Amino acid sequence: MQRALDFDKTPALGVPLPFFLNVPLFALLAGLLAAWAGPQAFTSHGNGTALALTHLWTLGILGSAMLGALLQILAVACNVPVGAARVIAGGAHALLTAGTLLLATGFLDWRTDALIGAAALLGVAFALYLAAVAWALWRHRLQVYKGAREILVPVRGALFALAGTVLMGLTMALSLGLGLPLPDWLGPHALWGLTGWGGLLLMGMSFQLLPIFQVTEIYPKPLTRWLPLLIPGLLLAWTALDASAGLPRLMRETVELLLVCAYALWAGVTLHLLWTRKRPTPETTTLFWFAGMLSLLACAPLWIWMTHGHAPRAGMVLGTVIIVGVLGSVANGMLYKIVPFLLWKHAQDAMIVPDRDPGQARIYLKILPKMAAYIDERAARLQWAAHVAVVLCWALAAAGWAPAAKAAGPVLIVSAAGLAWNTGRALRLYRKTLQAMAALPDAHPGLR
């Protein structure tokens, strides 16, 4: 596995950034909806408000973060740039944003026209994105960096899982919209989306990003080789057993147990690597990774509770912990690493130094902020604390505790506002830096 990224292959800022800006926006919307609905949002995973909240999280927050991050990581870590990235990213982002808003509206009012429209927009968004990424993987298959296999294997599995998740989701949305019989695909849809698409993509990124940005040891080779192959196989086996009538329930539960053990193993190894990292002081991103992996370990007893505890709310709690605690924590934390880097990199690329004069370059570097200056570490840690409160509050709300259900929305609004403020501050600093560099040639004629 390579410990370096080719930052010269970084796509244009307008490719991943709009996806990342969706994260605080949709988090605010989810918080407002949860505050408005109150405990009703957590009564059942099948009511309209709960479905709207779920998809604001999975599509608006997590989907946006993961789609944007994948475009970045494929280019710089694998030498797999997506062709016409600005057009693909712009179209997919606009369709995803509009489709998610329309889908949430459709669930809230059970409006059939909104559900059909959302299915059309989201179908085109994901078809465009998946086709572009699949073509890039095929086109650049011979130019992939040596050592990138550990990323590409789970990425391919994640994209396969995303395609299956989208097809099942679109079919169910269209069935609701057209008044057709609803396929019993809610379980497979959630499983493939959370443990296939979300889990595998997160795993693949961790193999590359943690050793580089958190200065950890490299993941054990047997784990990086076999775990990304085992998980899709288990998902396929679970789907086949779930669709087969007359087979013992124990067979499906055994596959589920193996899937839980696979992710618990990855979480345990990741926590060990983070704990023994070479950088002693944890960054905010490190704290988010700890929160995500501890949440993932908590899924094991929650699965046992769901399977053998005869608790009607256990499945809802498990899904909430995966969405908010595992995927939500890591997606939030990665923004504090990726966004400052992108802004710093593109500000640096904006320098115009004639004849590569070191003296003139120093003039630019005096006003070029360091990467750590884009987001205040104290403000980021405060937002991390707010996010931890969100995880606990939403899990307790899903378990049926009324005070937590009432607080779930306001707590998420506070966390989302903190993330929006920190991201906005970074963007303001980037804009001021570009303006200051643009004014330099007038103050220093030698730079013209």
Side-chain angles (χ1 to χ4, degrees), residues 221-276:
K221 286 188 176 180
L223 186 143
T224 60
R225 176 182 291 271
W226 296 111
L227 214 54
L229 296 174
L230 174 64
I231 290 172
L234 291 173
L235 287 172
L236 289 171
W238 184 94
T239 305
L241 292 170
D242 184 63
S244 301
L247 293 177
R249 181 182 173 186
L250 180 62
M251 295 177 65
R252 192 182 68 177
E253 290 181 359
T254 301
V255 173
E256 290 177 3
L257 176 61
L258 292 173
L259 193 60
V260 169
C261 290
Y263 273 109
L265 174 62
W266 171 58
V269 172
T270 302
L271 285 170
H272 172 74
L273 292 177
L274 289 170
W275 189 257
T276 58

Side-chain angles (χ1 to χ4, degrees), residues 336-355:
Y336 284 128
K337 183 61 68 174
I338 297 176
V339 171
F341 165 76
L342 288 176
L343 298 178
W344 171 82
K345 173 70 168 61
H346 287 284
Q348 191 178 55
D349 290 344
M351 293 192 306
I352 303 173
V353 184
D355 303 323

Side-chain angles (χ1 to χ4, degrees), residues 97-128:
T97 303
T100 302
L101 293 172
L102 198 57
L103 184 65
T105 302
F107 282 135
L108 285 174
D109 295 335
W110 293 111
R111 289 182 51 183
T112 57
D113 57 340
L115 292 172
I116 295 171
L121 292 174
L122 293 171
V124 176
F126 283 109
L128 179 67

Side-chain angles (χ1 to χ4, degrees), residues 65-298:
M66 292 189 292
L67 293 178
L70 184 57
L71 293 174
Q72 177 76 16
I73 201 70
L74 282 176
V76 301
C78 306
N79 195 29
V80 182
V82 174
R86 282 179 177 270
V87 176
I88 297 298
H93 170 263
L95 292 166
L96 174 69
T97 303
T100 302
L101 293 172
L102 198 57
L103 184 65
T105 302
F107 282 135
L108 285 174
D109 295 335
W110 293 111
R111 289 182 51 183
T112 57
D113 57 340
L115 292 172
I116 295 171
L121 292 174
L122 293 171
V124 176
F126 283 109
L128 179 67
Y129 187 94
L130 287 168
V133 173
W135 172 245
L137 288 168
W138 173 258
R139 182 183 178 189
H140 300 285
R141 66 192 186 282
L142 301 180
Q143 289 80 41
V144 169
Y145 292 138
K146 184 180 179 181
R149 177 188 180 277
E150 289 81 359
I151 307 171
L152 287 179
V153 171
V155 163
R156 292 189 185 104
L159 291 171
F160 176 76
L162 175 61
T165 303
V166 169
L167 285 173
M168 286 186 280
L170 294 179
T171 302
M172 288 189 289
L174 287 173
S175 298
L176 286 171
L178 298 173
L180 300 175
L182 184 66
D184 187 17
W185 290 348
L186 187 59
H189 176 66
L191 189 71
W192 278 87
L194 298 181
T195 64
W197 158 236
L200 280 172
L201 185 62
L202 209 62
M203 182 181 293
M205 289 186 175
S206 72
F207 293 162
Q208 181 73 44
L209 298 182
L210 291 191
I212 294 176
F213 291 118
Q214 299 300 319
V215 199
T216 70
E217 294 295 332
I218 294 175
Y219 279 84
K221 286 188 176 180
L223 186 143
T224 60
R225 176 182 291 271
W226 296 111
L227 214 54
L229 296 174
L230 174 64
I231 290 172
L234 291 173
L235 287 172
L236 289 171
W238 184 94
T239 305
L241 292 170
D242 184 63
S244 301
L247 293 177
R249 181 182 173 186
L250 180 62
M251 295 177 65
R252 192 182 68 177
E253 290 181 359
T254 301
V255 173
E256 290 177 3
L257 176 61
L258 292 173
L259 193 60
V260 169
C261 290
Y263 273 109
L265 174 62
W266 171 58
V269 172
T270 302
L271 285 170
H272 172 74
L273 292 177
L274 289 170
W275 189 257
T276 58
R277 68 192 182 280
K278 297 177 183 178
R279 183 175 292 163
T281 304
E283 302 172 327
T284 304
T285 303
T286 315
L287 298 177
F288 274 104
W289 271 99
F290 272 120
M293 294 302 101
L294 289 172
S295 297
L296 185 53
L297 285 181

Side-chain angles (χ1 to χ4, degrees), residues 45 194 302 305-307 311-322 398:
H45 60 73
L194 298 181
L302 287 175
W305 181 40
M306 179 185 72
T307 307
R313 285 184 170 269
M316 194 171 179
V317 176
L318 177 60
T320 301
V321 171
I322 295 174

Side-chain angles (χ1 to χ4, degrees), residues 347-417:
Q348 191 178 55
D349 290 344
M351 293 192 306
I352 303 173
V353 184
D355 303 323
R356 302 181 181 274
D357 186 333
Q360 294 174 346
R362 281 193 291 271
I363 296 174
Y364 277 98
L365 292 174
K366 284 181 180 179
I367 65 170
L368 187 69
K370 294 182 180 179
M371 192 166 66
Y374 281 92
I375 292 181
D376 179 69
E377 184 68 14
R378 183 174 180 274
R381 284 177 180 255
L382 288 174
Q383 195 266 322
W384 168 79
H387 176 77
V388 171
V390 170
V391 175
L392 295 173
C393 197
W394 281 61
L396 291 171
W401 193 38
K406 293 178 181 178
V411 172
L412 180 56
I413 290 172
V414 171
S415 176

